[in-house]
Amino acid sequence: MKLEIKELSKSYNQSIVLEDINFTFEEGKIYGLIGRNGAGKTTLFNCLNEDIETDSGEFYLEDEYGKNKLQTKDIGYVISTPIVPEFLTAKEFLTFFLEINSDNDKINKSIDEYFELVGIEEKDQEKLLKEYSHGMKNKIQILINIIANPKVILLDEPLTSLDIIIQDEMKKLLKSLKKDHIIIFSTHILELALDLCDSIVILNHHKLELVEKNNLNTKKYKDKIIESLKDEQHV
Amino acid sequence: MFNCLKMTLKIDIAYAINAFLYTLRTLPIFKDLLTEDIYKSKSIKNILTILSLFLSILRLLTFRFFYFLLIYELSKFLSPKSISETFIHLYFIFTIIGLFINNGLLNTSIKKYLSIILFNMNAKKYLQSNLLLRLFLSFILNSIFFILFSKFLNLSYLICLLLVLFSLTARIIGESLNIMYYKKFNYIWYNNTSLYLLVLGVFLGLTLLPLIKITTSNSIIILSTIISLPLSIISLIYLNKINDYRLIFKRLNNKNTVMNKENAKAYSRQAMFEVKEKDKNISAKKLKGKKGYDLFNTIFFERHKEILSRSSKNYALVIGIIYIVIVSLVLSNIVNIEKSISNFLLNRIGWFVIIMYFINRGAIITQAMFFNCDHSMLTYNFYKEPKVLLNLFKKRLVTLIKVNLLPAIVIAFGNTILLSIVTDATILEYLTSSMFIIVLSIFFSVHYLVIYYLLQPFNKDMEIKKPSYSIVSLITYIASYKISGITTSTITFSIIGSILTIIYMVVALILVYKKAPQTFKLN
């Protein structure tokens, strides 16, 4: 399975954010999307998720059945500030979600199994989501995306503010998901990207660029990425 | 579609019940009584579900009753001799206004965000089922109150039935026209302010026709309903053909930023305090010679012109226009309202309490103060020094009073002109009524700033964390409303009112000076 971005451009007023991007992401990999603050990582995700209109560009998903335009249902978007229905308990949220999406044949686990997957204990399941910590809300957000089982998962700095235990759990979970998905993980923490991701893509000069690792060791690879980012004229 | 509606209602009820229990748990008496386990108690939730359904029905009935009552009262006011005809006329025009303004399919709300985005519901089914529910409720509620009011006002059953039908067809046509406009121009028509004001102005103007003895005839109602029937069917077909409701919602949601932050409700509130682009640069002239907290305060108020001076000028302008219209009506003798105005100004001046309550910008300005300034500044210790706090309080109070004074001066001036035209008021009446309006304006400015400094109820998400603030706000509203009903001479009311108000202000200011350094802090 491949996600193809073709001639994507996006500007805000006079300011160009993304310019004529052509790039292909492949299944089975976690891509680390790196860029400096304001480089346009979130804009790229918003374009893919159809949250904002693009100036130009098309997105295609190619699998064993052929090449088709990317649809909203193909994407799971985990944003950095999790949005959850604050006045529902985690259990209610999940129950309603499963009931609403019962026609999705990829849903094959029970509520308890899903909670177990992200390590949410029984005592927390009956708590209001409003009373959840940021990290716990993030778990719920990721869980919902796992249940819906989209082909492409976009993660916009989801681990940045989590404690190290939850971060570790989430990393393991993402690694377990990559087999059948295309995962693009945006972050500005290079160490996290190097630790979790299989490939590093930088958003540089309004374009996406794969930073080849070749035979470099981690230190040299890191230096190469930093050099590429320094090269960028920061907006 | 039925399943979709069932799920929406289930989520709504669960959400409302949990929110109610959560609020209950923030109150001191219930804090220890209700533990976190309350959310899993099935028996309590079952009882609350029944109660919630009952209250929802009651709320719907009450709102619709007040809508009909409002039309009745307006009819009585506009044309006491032909209330029934005016009632029909107003209902008809209001339905047409609703056709343009009610926008069930395109408005963005947290509820929609939850259903369409978070719960991944089929947007088309969700929106269609909700439209169907609204139409059904509209049919039932309008039928009930038309039966009630038709007996009371001696209305023709046929016309009532046609109006009930017209309400449904107009709603469907309105929804499809709004979507059609959005698809063509990529924005909702009423975001074009001049177009919005034009349409609203024209139709609100039509509601005044009974003043010159013109009302909508029965034949127009019959014809409109007949024409609207096939149009509504075409509209339904059009609405059913649209398949990208989810995309439309996402785009609109992004534009309106209903839910782009952790707490949607807070975010929509926060959006109100956003500094406009044109106010970001302040001219050097305005800042010349200012330093320290004086400069700090000036920058804040200059950056918030949109909700401060600009909004105050707009209020003053609208109020000015209203007075010009009233004065013109009185002078042209089109309607005989001299007696009512004279009685209102000489014996019912209490009404200005609720009017001043509504036009005062104190509540929103204090929220902007917190969100765009104090919420970050209060993290610094130097900002919490009593001297700094009180110094800034003084400067803010002066600016706040100035901002709110402009509409008050227009009202006082308008009242003076009206008094001189419709009454033989004495100089004392002129003076006391004007003074009362000015004192009221100052009172509300002081009141909102004082309760902000004494109770500081907000957290970083602009949620109100202290029930005491909500209680004080509610009491302020109830008191203003109750005082408005008092009938007594302007002189007595103004003098007693002014004295009491001044006493309150003195006490409140003393309290701020004594207590604010302890109470004005982050939650």
mmCIF file of all heavy atoms in Angstrom, chain A residues 151-172:
data_model
loop_
_atom_site.group_PDB
_atom_site.id
_atom_site.type_symbol
_atom_site.label_atom_id
_atom_site.label_comp_id
_atom_site.label_asym_id
_atom_site.label_seq_id
_atom_site.Cartn_x
_atom_site.Cartn_y
_atom_site.Cartn_z
ATOM 1 N N LYS A 151 -6.346 3.284 7.042
ATOM 2 C CA LYS A 151 -5.118 2.789 6.397
ATOM 3 C C LYS A 151 -3.936 3.709 6.692
ATOM 4 O O LYS A 151 -2.803 3.269 6.786
ATOM 5 C CB LYS A 151 -5.353 2.692 4.887
ATOM 6 C CG LYS A 151 -6.355 1.602 4.556
ATOM 7 C CD LYS A 151 -6.796 1.688 3.120
ATOM 8 C CE LYS A 151 -7.818 0.599 2.839
ATOM 9 N NZ LYS A 151 -8.616 0.874 1.658
ATOM 10 N N VAL A 152 -4.237 4.998 6.797
ATOM 11 C CA VAL A 152 -3.161 5.968 7.051
ATOM 12 C C VAL A 152 -3.382 6.588 8.433
ATOM 13 O O VAL A 152 -4.493 7.013 8.744
ATOM 14 C CB VAL A 152 -3.189 7.098 5.988
ATOM 15 C CG1 VAL A 152 -2.077 8.113 6.239
ATOM 16 C CG2 VAL A 152 -3.078 6.515 4.592
ATOM 17 N N ILE A 153 -2.335 6.607 9.256
ATOM 18 C CA ILE A 153 -2.477 7.243 10.570
ATOM 19 C C ILE A 153 -1.526 8.443 10.638
ATOM 20 O O ILE A 153 -0.318 8.306 10.454
ATOM 21 C CB ILE A 153 -2.182 6.263 11.727
ATOM 22 C CG1 ILE A 153 -3.139 5.063 11.654
ATOM 23 C CG2 ILE A 153 -2.330 6.956 13.078
ATOM 24 C CD1 ILE A 153 -2.887 3.989 12.708
ATOM 25 N N LEU A 154 -2.120 9.622 10.869
ATOM 26 C CA LEU A 154 -1.312 10.834 11.004
ATOM 27 C C LEU A 154 -1.231 11.163 12.485
ATOM 28 O O LEU A 154 -2.257 11.246 13.163
ATOM 29 C CB LEU A 154 -1.964 12.000 10.270
ATOM 30 C CG LEU A 154 -2.355 11.785 8.802
ATOM 31 C CD1 LEU A 154 -3.104 13.003 8.277
ATOM 32 C CD2 LEU A 154 -1.117 11.513 7.963
ATOM 33 N N LEU A 155 -0.038 11.348 12.986
ATOM 34 C CA LEU A 155 0.115 11.668 14.413
ATOM 35 C C LEU A 155 0.862 12.990 14.538
ATOM 36 O O LEU A 155 2.022 13.090 14.149
ATOM 37 C CB LEU A 155 0.890 10.560 15.123
ATOM 38 C CG LEU A 155 0.248 9.180 15.069
ATOM 39 C CD1 LEU A 155 1.224 8.165 14.530
ATOM 40 C CD2 LEU A 155 -0.226 8.758 16.437
ATOM 41 N N ASP A 156 0.170 14.000 15.052
ATOM 42 C CA ASP A 156 0.785 15.319 15.162
ATOM 43 C C ASP A 156 1.302 15.528 16.588
ATOM 44 O O ASP A 156 0.538 15.872 17.482
ATOM 45 C CB ASP A 156 -0.258 16.389 14.795
ATOM 46 C CG ASP A 156 0.378 17.756 14.630
ATOM 47 O OD1 ASP A 156 1.611 17.857 14.737
ATOM 48 O OD2 ASP A 156 -0.363 18.725 14.402
ATOM 49 N N GLU A 157 2.566 15.309 16.783
ATOM 50 C CA GLU A 157 3.239 15.431 18.076
ATOM 51 C C GLU A 157 2.410 14.852 19.225
ATOM 52 O O GLU A 157 2.111 15.537 20.191
ATOM 53 C CB GLU A 157 3.547 16.899 18.345
ATOM 54 C CG GLU A 157 4.371 17.483 17.238
ATOM 55 C CD GLU A 157 4.995 18.817 17.591
ATOM 56 O OE1 GLU A 157 5.022 19.137 18.767
ATOM 57 O OE2 GLU A 157 5.463 19.490 16.683
ATOM 58 N N PRO A 158 2.042 13.577 19.133
ATOM 59 C CA PRO A 158 1.141 13.037 20.149
ATOM 60 C C PRO A 158 1.851 12.619 21.433
ATOM 61 O O PRO A 158 1.214 12.443 22.453
ATOM 62 C CB PRO A 158 0.542 11.813 19.461
ATOM 63 C CG PRO A 158 1.597 11.371 18.521
ATOM 64 C CD PRO A 158 2.397 12.563 18.139
ATOM 65 N N LEU A 159 3.148 12.453 21.389
ATOM 66 C CA LEU A 159 3.835 11.916 22.567
ATOM 67 C C LEU A 159 4.579 12.986 23.357
ATOM 68 O O LEU A 159 5.089 12.718 24.436
ATOM 69 C CB LEU A 159 4.842 10.829 22.162
ATOM 70 C CG LEU A 159 4.323 9.688 21.283
ATOM 71 C CD1 LEU A 159 5.405 8.636 21.109
ATOM 72 C CD2 LEU A 159 3.083 9.043 21.888
ATOM 73 N N THR A 160 4.599 14.196 22.816
ATOM 74 C CA THR A 160 5.447 15.242 23.377
ATOM 75 C C THR A 160 5.218 15.475 24.871
ATOM 76 O O THR A 160 6.156 15.569 25.635
ATOM 77 C CB THR A 160 5.223 16.559 22.601
ATOM 78 O OG1 THR A 160 5.245 16.234 21.222
ATOM 79 C CG2 THR A 160 6.293 17.576 22.902
ATOM 80 N N SER A 161 3.939 15.554 25.280
ATOM 81 C CA SER A 161 3.715 15.930 26.679
ATOM 82 C C SER A 161 3.347 14.732 27.561
ATOM 83 O O SER A 161 2.794 14.899 28.632
ATOM 84 C CB SER A 161 2.620 16.987 26.738
ATOM 85 O OG SER A 161 1.485 16.476 26.094
ATOM 86 N N LEU A 162 3.643 13.540 27.089
ATOM 87 C CA LEU A 162 3.286 12.358 27.894
ATOM 88 C C LEU A 162 4.430 11.968 28.831
ATOM 89 O O LEU A 162 5.597 12.212 28.530
ATOM 90 C CB LEU A 162 2.969 11.170 26.983
ATOM 91 C CG LEU A 162 1.891 11.375 25.926
ATOM 92 C CD1 LEU A 162 1.586 10.052 25.244
ATOM 93 C CD2 LEU A 162 0.630 11.932 26.534
ATOM 94 N N ASP A 163 4.074 11.338 29.953
ATOM 95 C CA ASP A 163 5.156 10.894 30.831
ATOM 96 C C ASP A 163 5.859 9.694 30.193
ATOM 97 O O ASP A 163 5.358 9.076 29.241
ATOM 98 C CB ASP A 163 4.641 10.604 32.255
ATOM 99 C CG ASP A 163 3.754 9.381 32.326
ATOM 100 O OD1 ASP A 163 4.134 8.349 31.764
ATOM 101 O OD2 ASP A 163 2.669 9.461 32.949
ATOM 102 N N ILE A 164 7.043 9.373 30.708
ATOM 103 C CA ILE A 164 7.879 8.390 30.002
ATOM 104 C C ILE A 164 7.242 7.004 29.925
ATOM 105 O O ILE A 164 7.445 6.276 28.967
ATOM 106 C CB ILE A 164 9.300 8.309 30.605
ATOM 107 C CG1 ILE A 164 9.238 8.308 32.119
ATOM 108 C CG2 ILE A 164 10.186 9.414 30.092
ATOM 109 C CD1 ILE A 164 10.579 8.034 32.751
ATOM 110 N N ILE A 165 6.436 6.646 30.923
ATOM 111 C CA ILE A 165 5.809 5.307 30.896
ATOM 112 C C ILE A 165 4.783 5.250 29.762
ATOM 113 O O ILE A 165 4.789 4.322 28.947
ATOM 114 C CB ILE A 165 5.118 4.990 32.254
ATOM 115 C CG1 ILE A 165 6.119 5.091 33.414
ATOM 116 C CG2 ILE A 165 4.420 3.637 32.232
ATOM 117 C CD1 ILE A 165 7.199 4.032 33.412
ATOM 118 N N ILE A 166 3.913 6.273 29.723
ATOM 119 C CA ILE A 166 2.886 6.277 28.674
ATOM 120 C C ILE A 166 3.552 6.401 27.300
ATOM 121 O O ILE A 166 3.152 5.746 26.336
ATOM 122 C CB ILE A 166 1.845 7.399 28.889
ATOM 123 C CG1 ILE A 166 1.148 7.217 30.231
ATOM 124 C CG2 ILE A 166 0.812 7.415 27.766
ATOM 125 C CD1 ILE A 166 0.048 8.210 30.536
ATOM 126 N N GLN A 167 4.606 7.233 27.243
ATOM 127 C CA GLN A 167 5.335 7.380 25.974
ATOM 128 C C GLN A 167 5.822 6.023 25.473
ATOM 129 O O GLN A 167 5.667 5.674 24.302
ATOM 130 C CB GLN A 167 6.549 8.275 26.203
ATOM 131 C CG GLN A 167 6.451 9.588 25.476
ATOM 132 C CD GLN A 167 7.758 10.341 25.502
ATOM 133 O OE1 GLN A 167 8.801 9.796 25.153
ATOM 134 N NE2 GLN A 167 7.686 11.598 25.917
ATOM 135 N N ASP A 168 6.398 5.249 26.405
ATOM 136 C CA ASP A 168 6.935 3.943 26.049
ATOM 137 C C ASP A 168 5.826 3.005 25.565
ATOM 138 O O ASP A 168 5.973 2.310 24.556
ATOM 139 C CB ASP A 168 7.656 3.353 27.278
ATOM 140 C CG ASP A 168 8.462 2.132 26.897
ATOM 141 O OD1 ASP A 168 9.284 2.258 25.968
ATOM 142 O OD2 ASP A 168 8.228 1.053 27.483
ATOM 143 N N GLU A 169 4.683 3.034 26.297
ATOM 144 C CA GLU A 169 3.543 2.189 25.902
ATOM 145 C C GLU A 169 3.064 2.562 24.499
ATOM 146 O O GLU A 169 2.790 1.702 23.658
ATOM 147 C CB GLU A 169 2.371 2.399 26.874
ATOM 148 C CG GLU A 169 2.558 1.735 28.221
ATOM 149 C CD GLU A 169 1.457 2.143 29.204
ATOM 150 O OE1 GLU A 169 0.467 2.774 28.796
ATOM 151 O OE2 GLU A 169 1.618 1.837 30.398
ATOM 152 N N MET A 170 2.987 3.872 24.261
ATOM 153 C CA MET A 170 2.495 4.347 22.968
ATOM 154 C C MET A 170 3.448 3.960 21.830
ATOM 155 O O MET A 170 3.023 3.585 20.745
ATOM 156 C CB MET A 170 2.316 5.872 22.997
ATOM 157 C CG MET A 170 1.137 6.343 23.803
ATOM 158 S SD MET A 170 -0.413 5.789 23.097
ATOM 159 C CE MET A 170 -1.011 4.727 24.367
ATOM 160 N N LYS A 171 4.742 4.064 22.120
ATOM 161 C CA LYS A 171 5.727 3.704 21.091
ATOM 162 C C LYS A 171 5.553 2.239 20.693
ATOM 163 O O LYS A 171 5.548 1.895 19.507
ATOM 164 C CB LYS A 171 7.143 3.934 21.638
ATOM 165 C CG LYS A 171 7.609 5.370 21.519
ATOM 166 C CD LYS A 171 9.096 5.413 21.833
ATOM 167 C CE LYS A 171 9.437 6.568 22.711
ATOM 168 N NZ LYS A 171 10.762 6.502 23.287
ATOM 169 N N LYS A 172 5.408 1.386 21.720
ATOM 170 C CA LYS A 172 5.239 -0.051 21.441
ATOM 171 C C LYS A 172 3.982 -0.285 20.610
ATOM 172 O O LYS A 172 3.973 -1.075 19.658
ATOM 173 C CB LYS A 172 5.144 -0.824 22.760
ATOM 174 C CG LYS A 172 6.514 -1.038 23.389
ATOM 175 C CD LYS A 172 6.383 -1.792 24.691
ATOM 176 C CE LYS A 172 7.716 -1.808 25.425
ATOM 177 N NZ LYS A 172 7.559 -1.872 26.871
#
